[in-house]
PDB file of all heavy atoms in Angstrom:
ATOM      1  N   VAL G 122      18.224  23.471   1.345  1.00 91.00           N
ATOM      2  CA  VAL G 122      16.902  24.114   1.290  1.00 91.00           C
ATOM      3  C   VAL G 122      16.710  24.624  -0.124  1.00 91.00           C
ATOM      4  O   VAL G 122      17.438  25.493  -0.595  1.00 91.00           O
ATOM      5  CB  VAL G 122      16.792  25.260   2.311  1.00 91.00           C
ATOM      6  CG1 VAL G 122      15.479  26.016   2.126  1.00 91.00           C
ATOM      7  CG2 VAL G 122      16.892  24.725   3.730  1.00 91.00           C
ATOM      8  N   ARG G 123      15.730  24.047  -0.818  1.00 90.00           N
ATOM      9  CA  ARG G 123      15.499  24.346  -2.227  1.00 90.00           C
ATOM     10  C   ARG G 123      14.275  25.228  -2.379  1.00 90.00           C
ATOM     11  O   ARG G 123      13.339  25.188  -1.572  1.00 90.00           O
ATOM     12  CB  ARG G 123      15.314  23.050  -3.016  1.00 90.00           C
ATOM     13  CG  ARG G 123      16.516  22.143  -2.969  1.00 90.00           C
ATOM     14  CD  ARG G 123      16.271  20.770  -3.581  1.00 90.00           C
ATOM     15  NE  ARG G 123      15.886  20.850  -4.981  1.00 90.00           N
ATOM     16  CZ  ARG G 123      14.731  20.420  -5.451  1.00 90.00           C
ATOM     17  NH1 ARG G 123      13.824  19.907  -4.649  1.00 90.00           N
ATOM     18  NH2 ARG G 123      14.469  20.501  -6.735  1.00 90.00           N
ATOM     19  N   LEU G 124      14.275  26.011  -3.431  1.00 88.00           N
ATOM     20  CA  LEU G 124      13.160  26.908  -3.745  1.00 88.00           C
ATOM     21  C   LEU G 124      12.503  26.442  -5.030  1.00 88.00           C
ATOM     22  O   LEU G 124      13.173  26.276  -6.056  1.00 88.00           O
ATOM     23  CB  LEU G 124      13.662  28.344  -3.897  1.00 88.00           C
ATOM     24  CG  LEU G 124      12.606  29.400  -4.227  1.00 88.00           C
ATOM     25  CD1 LEU G 124      11.607  29.547  -3.092  1.00 88.00           C
ATOM     26  CD2 LEU G 124      13.273  30.743  -4.526  1.00 88.00           C
ATOM     27  N   TRP G 125      11.206  26.228  -4.977  1.00 87.00           N
ATOM     28  CA  TRP G 125      10.427  25.772  -6.132  1.00 87.00           C
ATOM     29  C   TRP G 125       9.489  26.896  -6.560  1.00 87.00           C
ATOM     30  O   TRP G 125       8.600  27.284  -5.822  1.00 87.00           O
ATOM     31  CB  TRP G 125       9.647  24.517  -5.764  1.00 87.00           C
ATOM     32  CG  TRP G 125       8.857  23.911  -6.893  1.00 87.00           C
ATOM     33  CD1 TRP G 125       8.933  24.218  -8.214  1.00 87.00           C
ATOM     34  CD2 TRP G 125       7.871  22.882  -6.783  1.00 87.00           C
ATOM     35  NE1 TRP G 125       8.060  23.450  -8.954  1.00 87.00           N
ATOM     36  CE2 TRP G 125       7.394  22.621  -8.096  1.00 87.00           C
ATOM     37  CE3 TRP G 125       7.350  22.153  -5.724  1.00 87.00           C
ATOM     38  CZ2 TRP G 125       6.408  21.672  -8.350  1.00 87.00           C
ATOM     39  CZ3 TRP G 125       6.372  21.207  -5.977  1.00 87.00           C
ATOM     40  CH2 TRP G 125       5.910  20.966  -7.283  1.00 87.00           C
ATOM     41  N   ASP G 126       9.709  27.413  -7.755  1.00 86.00           N
ATOM     42  CA  ASP G 126       8.857  28.470  -8.313  1.00 86.00           C
ATOM     43  C   ASP G 126       7.721  27.803  -9.088  1.00 86.00           C
ATOM     44  O   ASP G 126       7.946  27.182 -10.134  1.00 86.00           O
ATOM     45  CB  ASP G 126       9.674  29.385  -9.227  1.00 86.00           C
ATOM     46  CG  ASP G 126       8.901  30.632  -9.647  1.00 86.00           C
ATOM     47  OD1 ASP G 126       7.651  30.605  -9.608  1.00 86.00           O
ATOM     48  OD2 ASP G 126       9.541  31.628 -10.018  1.00 86.00           O
ATOM     49  N   LEU G 127       6.503  27.920  -8.591  1.00 83.00           N
ATOM     50  CA  LEU G 127       5.369  27.229  -9.192  1.00 83.00           C
ATOM     51  C   LEU G 127       4.948  27.833 -10.525  1.00 83.00           C
ATOM     52  O   LEU G 127       4.192  27.216 -11.275  1.00 83.00           O
ATOM     53  CB  LEU G 127       4.171  27.253  -8.231  1.00 83.00           C
ATOM     54  CG  LEU G 127       4.444  26.728  -6.816  1.00 83.00           C
ATOM     55  CD1 LEU G 127       3.172  26.772  -5.989  1.00 83.00           C
ATOM     56  CD2 LEU G 127       5.022  25.329  -6.866  1.00 83.00           C
ATOM     57  N   ARG G 128       5.428  29.016 -10.822  1.00 81.00           N
ATOM     58  CA  ARG G 128       5.053  29.668 -12.086  1.00 81.00           C
ATOM     59  C   ARG G 128       5.846  29.147 -13.263  1.00 81.00           C
ATOM     60  O   ARG G 128       5.533  29.429 -14.412  1.00 81.00           O
ATOM     61  CB  ARG G 128       5.246  31.184 -11.957  1.00 81.00           C
ATOM     62  CG  ARG G 128       4.337  31.841 -10.946  1.00 81.00           C
ATOM     63  CD  ARG G 128       4.805  33.232 -10.578  1.00 81.00           C
ATOM     64  NE  ARG G 128       6.119  33.192  -9.919  1.00 81.00           N
ATOM     65  CZ  ARG G 128       6.699  34.259  -9.382  1.00 81.00           C
ATOM     66  NH1 ARG G 128       6.089  35.425  -9.415  1.00 81.00           N
ATOM     67  NH2 ARG G 128       7.878  34.161  -8.796  1.00 81.00           N
ATOM     68  N   SER G 129       6.891  28.382 -12.998  1.00 75.00           N
ATOM     69  CA  SER G 129       7.714  27.838 -14.070  1.00 75.00           C
ATOM     70  C   SER G 129       7.680  26.325 -14.005  1.00 75.00           C
ATOM     71  O   SER G 129       7.294  25.727 -12.998  1.00 75.00           O
ATOM     72  CB  SER G 129       9.152  28.355 -13.959  1.00 75.00           C
ATOM     73  OG  SER G 129       9.685  28.029 -12.700  1.00 75.00           O
ATOM     74  N   ASP G 130       8.097  25.696 -15.057  1.00 62.00           N
ATOM     75  CA  ASP G 130       8.048  24.230 -15.147  1.00 62.00           C
ATOM     76  C   ASP G 130       9.278  23.603 -14.511  1.00 62.00           C
ATOM     77  O   ASP G 130      10.305  23.448 -15.151  1.00 62.00           O
ATOM     78  CB  ASP G 130       7.976  23.813 -16.617  1.00 62.00           C
ATOM     79  CG  ASP G 130       6.683  23.103 -16.935  1.00 62.00           C
ATOM     80  OD1 ASP G 130       5.963  22.777 -15.989  1.00 62.00           O
ATOM     81  OD2 ASP G 130       6.404  22.885 -18.113  1.00 62.00           O
ATOM     82  N   GLY G 131       9.144  23.270 -13.249  1.00 55.00           N
ATOM     83  CA  GLY G 131      10.229  22.557 -12.586  1.00 55.00           C
ATOM     84  C   GLY G 131      11.448  23.389 -12.280  1.00 55.00           C
ATOM     85  O   GLY G 131      12.487  22.845 -11.938  1.00 55.00           O
ATOM     86  N   ALA G 132      11.347  24.735 -12.380  1.00 54.00           N
ATOM     87  CA  ALA G 132      12.497  25.580 -12.074  1.00 54.00           C
ATOM     88  C   ALA G 132      12.705  25.628 -10.563  1.00 54.00           C
ATOM     89  O   ALA G 132      11.820  26.020  -9.817  1.00 54.00           O
ATOM     90  CB  ALA G 132      12.284  26.985 -12.627  1.00 54.00           C
ATOM     91  N   ASN G 133      13.841  25.191 -10.098  1.00 62.00           N
ATOM     92  CA  ASN G 133      14.132  25.223  -8.667  1.00 62.00           C
ATOM     93  C   ASN G 133      15.624  25.392  -8.485  1.00 62.00           C
ATOM     94  O   ASN G 133      16.413  25.134  -9.384  1.00 62.00           O
ATOM     95  CB  ASN G 133      13.642  23.946  -7.981  1.00 62.00           C
ATOM     96  CG  ASN G 133      14.276  22.705  -8.562  1.00 62.00           C
ATOM     97  OD1 ASN G 133      15.454  22.434  -8.324  1.00 62.00           O
ATOM     98  ND2 ASN G 133      13.525  21.958  -9.353  1.00 62.00           N
ATOM     99  N   ASN G 134      16.008  25.837  -7.321  1.00 80.00           N
ATOM    100  CA  ASN G 134      17.426  25.983  -7.036  1.00 80.00           C
ATOM    101  C   ASN G 134      17.655  25.843  -5.544  1.00 80.00           C
ATOM    102  O   ASN G 134      16.747  26.024  -4.732  1.00 80.00           O
ATOM    103  CB  ASN G 134      17.948  27.339  -7.541  1.00 80.00           C
ATOM    104  CG  ASN G 134      17.251  28.508  -6.869  1.00 80.00           C
ATOM    105  OD1 ASN G 134      17.628  28.892  -5.770  1.00 80.00           O
ATOM    106  ND2 ASN G 134      16.236  29.067  -7.518  1.00 80.00           N
ATOM    107  N   VAL G 135      18.871  25.521  -5.172  1.00 82.00           N
ATOM    108  CA  VAL G 135      19.248  25.397  -3.775  1.00 82.00           C
ATOM    109  C   VAL G 135      19.622  26.779  -3.262  1.00 82.00           C
ATOM    110  O   VAL G 135      20.566  27.399  -3.757  1.00 82.00           O
ATOM    111  CB  VAL G 135      20.428  24.419  -3.607  1.00 82.00           C
ATOM    112  CG1 VAL G 135      20.846  24.353  -2.150  1.00 82.00           C
ATOM    113  CG2 VAL G 135      20.051  23.038  -4.118  1.00 82.00           C
ATOM    114  N   ARG G 136      18.879  27.264  -2.253  1.00 86.00           N
ATOM    115  CA  ARG G 136      19.133  28.600  -1.724  1.00 86.00           C
ATOM    116  C   ARG G 136      20.222  28.612  -0.667  1.00 86.00           C
ATOM    117  O   ARG G 136      21.018  29.542  -0.586  1.00 86.00           O
ATOM    118  CB  ARG G 136      17.845  29.196  -1.146  1.00 86.00           C
ATOM    119  CG  ARG G 136      16.783  29.521  -2.181  1.00 86.00           C
ATOM    120  CD  ARG G 136      17.333  30.385  -3.287  1.00 86.00           C
ATOM    121  NE  ARG G 136      17.910  31.624  -2.842  1.00 86.00           N
ATOM    122  CZ  ARG G 136      17.308  32.805  -2.903  1.00 86.00           C
ATOM    123  NH1 ARG G 136      16.113  32.895  -3.425  1.00 86.00           N
ATOM    124  NH2 ARG G 136      17.905  33.894  -2.477  1.00 86.00           N
ATOM    125  N   PHE G 137      20.238  27.602   0.199  1.00 89.00           N
ATOM    126  CA  PHE G 137      21.297  27.550   1.207  1.00 89.00           C
ATOM    127  C   PHE G 137      21.374  26.141   1.775  1.00 89.00           C
ATOM    128  O   PHE G 137      20.553  25.274   1.485  1.00 89.00           O
ATOM    129  CB  PHE G 137      21.090  28.590   2.323  1.00 89.00           C
ATOM    130  CG  PHE G 137      19.774  28.499   3.039  1.00 89.00           C
ATOM    131  CD1 PHE G 137      19.599  27.658   4.128  1.00 89.00           C
ATOM    132  CD2 PHE G 137      18.699  29.278   2.630  1.00 89.00           C
ATOM    133  CE1 PHE G 137      18.389  27.586   4.792  1.00 89.00           C
ATOM    134  CE2 PHE G 137      17.482  29.221   3.295  1.00 89.00           C
ATOM    135  CZ  PHE G 137      17.321  28.364   4.375  1.00 89.00           C
ATOM    136  N   GLN G 138      22.414  25.921   2.605  1.00 89.00           N
ATOM    137  CA  GLN G 138      22.704  24.613   3.181  1.00 89.00           C
ATOM    138  C   GLN G 138      22.666  24.703   4.700  1.00 89.00           C
ATOM    139  O   GLN G 138      23.437  25.438   5.317  1.00 89.00           O
ATOM    140  CB  GLN G 138      24.090  24.134   2.727  1.00 89.00           C
ATOM    141  CG  GLN G 138      24.568  22.846   3.374  1.00 89.00           C
ATOM    142  CD  GLN G 138      23.964  21.607   2.734  1.00 89.00           C
ATOM    143  OE1 GLN G 138      23.764  21.560   1.524  1.00 89.00           O
ATOM    144  NE2 GLN G 138      23.661  20.605   3.559  1.00 89.00           N
ATOM    145  N   HIS G 139      21.752  23.950   5.331  1.00 91.00           N
ATOM    146  CA  HIS G 139      21.709  23.878   6.783  1.00 91.00           C
ATOM    147  C   HIS G 139      22.785  22.895   7.256  1.00 91.00           C
ATOM    148  O   HIS G 139      23.275  22.064   6.485  1.00 91.00           O
ATOM    149  CB  HIS G 139      20.323  23.420   7.232  1.00 91.00           C
ATOM    150  CG  HIS G 139      20.097  23.505   8.711  1.00 91.00           C
ATOM    151  ND1 HIS G 139      20.343  24.653   9.438  1.00 91.00           N
ATOM    152  CD2 HIS G 139      19.644  22.580   9.612  1.00 91.00           C
ATOM    153  CE1 HIS G 139      20.051  24.434  10.700  1.00 91.00           C
ATOM    154  NE2 HIS G 139      19.637  23.186  10.835  1.00 91.00           N
ATOM    155  N   SER G 140      23.134  22.975   8.540  1.00 88.00           N
ATOM    156  CA  SER G 140      24.227  22.159   9.063  1.00 88.00           C
ATOM    157  C   SER G 140      23.795  20.751   9.453  1.00 88.00           C
ATOM    158  O   SER G 140      24.620  19.975   9.956  1.00 88.00           O
ATOM    159  CB  SER G 140      24.854  22.854  10.283  1.00 88.00           C
ATOM    160  OG  SER G 140      23.860  23.144  11.250  1.00 88.00           O
ATOM    161  N   SER G 141      22.522  20.401   9.246  1.00 87.00           N
ATOM    162  CA  SER G 141      22.047  19.042   9.492  1.00 87.00           C
ATOM    163  C   SER G 141      20.809  18.812   8.640  1.00 87.00           C
ATOM    164  O   SER G 141      20.353  19.706   7.923  1.00 87.00           O
ATOM    165  CB  SER G 141      21.714  18.835  10.975  1.00 87.00           C
ATOM    166  OG  SER G 141      20.547  19.545  11.323  1.00 87.00           O
ATOM    167  N   SER G 142      20.258  17.611   8.684  1.00 88.00           N
ATOM    168  CA  SER G 142      19.006  17.340   7.974  1.00 88.00           C
ATOM    169  C   SER G 142      17.924  18.308   8.442  1.00 88.00           C
ATOM    170  O   SER G 142      17.832  18.640   9.627  1.00 88.00           O
ATOM    171  CB  SER G 142      18.549  15.902   8.238  1.00 88.00           C
ATOM    172  OG  SER G 142      19.492  14.974   7.754  1.00 88.00           O
ATOM    173  N   VAL G 143      17.108  18.770   7.503  1.00 90.00           N
ATOM    174  CA  VAL G 143      16.069  19.758   7.815  1.00 90.00           C
ATOM    175  C   VAL G 143      14.806  19.032   8.246  1.00 90.00           C
ATOM    176  O   VAL G 143      14.174  18.333   7.450  1.00 90.00           O
ATOM    177  CB  VAL G 143      15.784  20.656   6.607  1.00 90.00           C
ATOM    178  CG1 VAL G 143      14.671  21.650   6.938  1.00 90.00           C
ATOM    179  CG2 VAL G 143      17.045  21.407   6.187  1.00 90.00           C
ATOM    180  N   ARG G 144      14.439  19.227   9.494  1.00 90.00           N
ATOM    181  CA  ARG G 144      13.239  18.562  10.013  1.00 90.00           C
ATOM    182  C   ARG G 144      12.008  19.460   9.949  1.00 90.00           C
ATOM    183  O   ARG G 144      10.900  19.004   9.693  1.00 90.00           O
ATOM    184  CB  ARG G 144      13.483  18.123  11.444  1.00 90.00           C
ATOM    185  CG  ARG G 144      12.333  17.308  11.989  1.00 90.00           C
ATOM    186  CD  ARG G 144      12.673  16.719  13.342  1.00 90.00           C
ATOM    187  NE  ARG G 144      11.638  15.802  13.753  1.00 90.00           N
ATOM    188  CZ  ARG G 144      11.853  14.616  14.270  1.00 90.00           C
ATOM    189  NH1 ARG G 144      13.078  14.186  14.399  1.00 90.00           N
ATOM    190  NH2 ARG G 144      10.863  13.851  14.651  1.00 90.00           N
ATOM    191  N   ASN G 145      12.189  20.755  10.202  1.00 93.00           N
ATOM    192  CA  ASN G 145      11.091  21.723  10.132  1.00 93.00           C
ATOM    193  C   ASN G 145      11.603  22.981   9.454  1.00 93.00           C
ATOM    194  O   ASN G 145      12.760  23.365   9.630  1.00 93.00           O
ATOM    195  CB  ASN G 145      10.565  22.077  11.532  1.00 93.00           C
ATOM    196  CG  ASN G 145       9.944  20.901  12.246  1.00 93.00           C
ATOM    197  OD1 ASN G 145       8.818  20.494  11.954  1.00 93.00           O
ATOM    198  ND2 ASN G 145      10.675  20.338  13.202  1.00 93.00           N
ATOM    199  N   ILE G 146      10.709  23.632   8.704  1.00 95.00           N
ATOM    200  CA  ILE G 146      11.065  24.884   8.043  1.00 95.00           C
ATOM    201  C   ILE G 146       9.867  25.826   8.104  1.00 95.00           C
ATOM    202  O   ILE G 146       8.719  25.384   7.945  1.00 95.00           O
ATOM    203  CB  ILE G 146      11.510  24.625   6.580  1.00 95.00           C
ATOM    204  CG1 ILE G 146      12.071  25.905   5.960  1.00 95.00           C
ATOM    205  CG2 ILE G 146      10.384  24.057   5.743  1.00 95.00           C
ATOM    206  CD1 ILE G 146      12.796  25.655   4.649  1.00 95.00           C
ATOM    207  N   LYS G 147      10.137  27.108   8.380  1.00 95.00           N
ATOM    208  CA  LYS G 147       9.063  28.075   8.526  1.00 95.00           C
ATOM    209  C   LYS G 147       9.526  29.438   8.045  1.00 95.00           C
ATOM    210  O   LYS G 147      10.579  29.927   8.466  1.00 95.00           O
ATOM    211  CB  LYS G 147       8.632  28.172   9.995  1.00 95.00           C
ATOM    212  CG  LYS G 147       7.504  29.130  10.251  1.00 95.00           C
ATOM    213  CD  LYS G 147       6.193  28.680   9.621  1.00 95.00           C
ATOM    214  CE  LYS G 147       5.046  29.633   9.941  1.00 95.00           C
ATOM    215  NZ  LYS G 147       3.778  29.212   9.290  1.00 95.00           N
ATOM    216  N   VAL G 148       8.740  30.050   7.158  1.00 94.00           N
ATOM    217  CA  VAL G 148       9.023  31.406   6.697  1.00 94.00           C
ATOM    218  C   VAL G 148       8.572  32.392   7.768  1.00 94.00           C
ATOM    219  O   VAL G 148       7.404  32.390   8.174  1.00 94.00           O
ATOM    220  CB  VAL G 148       8.312  31.689   5.362  1.00 94.00           C
ATOM    221  CG1 VAL G 148       8.532  33.139   4.946  1.00 94.00           C
ATOM    222  CG2 VAL G 148       8.811  30.741   4.281  1.00 94.00           C
ATOM    223  N   LEU G 149       9.492  33.243   8.237  1.00 93.00           N
ATOM    224  CA  LEU G 149       9.173  34.200   9.289  1.00 93.00           C
ATOM    225  C   LEU G 149       8.710  35.535   8.736  1.00 93.00           C
ATOM    226  O   LEU G 149       7.821  36.166   9.284  1.00 93.00           O
ATOM    227  CB  LEU G 149      10.392  34.406  10.198  1.00 93.00           C
ATOM    228  CG  LEU G 149      10.934  33.143  10.884  1.00 93.00           C
ATOM    229  CD1 LEU G 149      12.127  33.498  11.760  1.00 93.00           C
ATOM    230  CD2 LEU G 149       9.854  32.450  11.696  1.00 93.00           C
ATOM    231  N   ASP G 150       9.351  35.997   7.660  1.00 91.00           N
ATOM    232  CA  ASP G 150       8.939  37.231   6.994  1.00 91.00           C
ATOM    233  C   ASP G 150       9.455  37.183   5.557  1.00 91.00           C
ATOM    234  O   ASP G 150       9.814  36.116   5.062  1.00 91.00           O
ATOM    235  CB  ASP G 150       9.430  38.478   7.740  1.00 91.00           C
ATOM    236  CG  ASP G 150      10.948  38.514   7.939  1.00 91.00           C
ATOM    237  OD1 ASP G 150      11.671  37.977   7.073  1.00 91.00           O
ATOM    238  OD2 ASP G 150      11.411  39.072   8.946  1.00 91.00           O
ATOM    239  N   ASP G 151       9.508  38.316   4.903  1.00 90.00           N
ATOM    240  CA  ASP G 151       9.909  38.337   3.495  1.00 90.00           C
ATOM    241  C   ASP G 151      11.350  37.889   3.282  1.00 90.00           C
ATOM    242  O   ASP G 151      11.728  37.500   2.168  1.00 90.00           O
ATOM    243  CB  ASP G 151       9.736  39.744   2.921  1.00 90.00           C
ATOM    244  CG  ASP G 151       8.267  40.137   2.799  1.00 90.00           C
ATOM    245  OD1 ASP G 151       7.422  39.228   2.796  1.00 90.00           O
ATOM    246  OD2 ASP G 151       7.991  41.352   2.729  1.00 90.00           O
ATOM    247  N   ASN G 152      12.173  37.939   4.334  1.00 92.00           N
ATOM    248  CA  ASN G 152      13.592  37.648   4.155  1.00 92.00           C
ATOM    249  C   ASN G 152      14.134  36.524   5.029  1.00 92.00           C
ATOM    250  O   ASN G 152      15.142  35.922   4.688  1.00 92.00           O
ATOM    251  CB  ASN G 152      14.421  38.918   4.442  1.00 92.00           C
ATOM    252  CG  ASN G 152      14.037  40.065   3.526  1.00 92.00           C
ATOM    253  OD1 ASN G 152      14.011  39.917   2.315  1.00 92.00           O
ATOM    254  ND2 ASN G 152      13.720  41.208   4.123  1.00 92.00           N
TER     255      ASN G 152
END
Side-chain angles (χ1 to χ4, degrees):
V122 173
R123 299 172 60 242
L124 180 65
W125 183 12
D126 190 337
L127 307 182
R128 295 164 297 187
S129 57
D130 244 350
N133 59 73
N134 61 83
V135 177
R136 292 307 303 259
F137 56 87
Q138 174 80 37
H139 189 52
S140 55
S141 71
S142 298
V143 178
R144 186 172 188 135
N145 296 283
I146 188 168
K147 181 67 178 178
V148 176
L149 302 181
D150 57 31
D151 291 340
N152 301 308

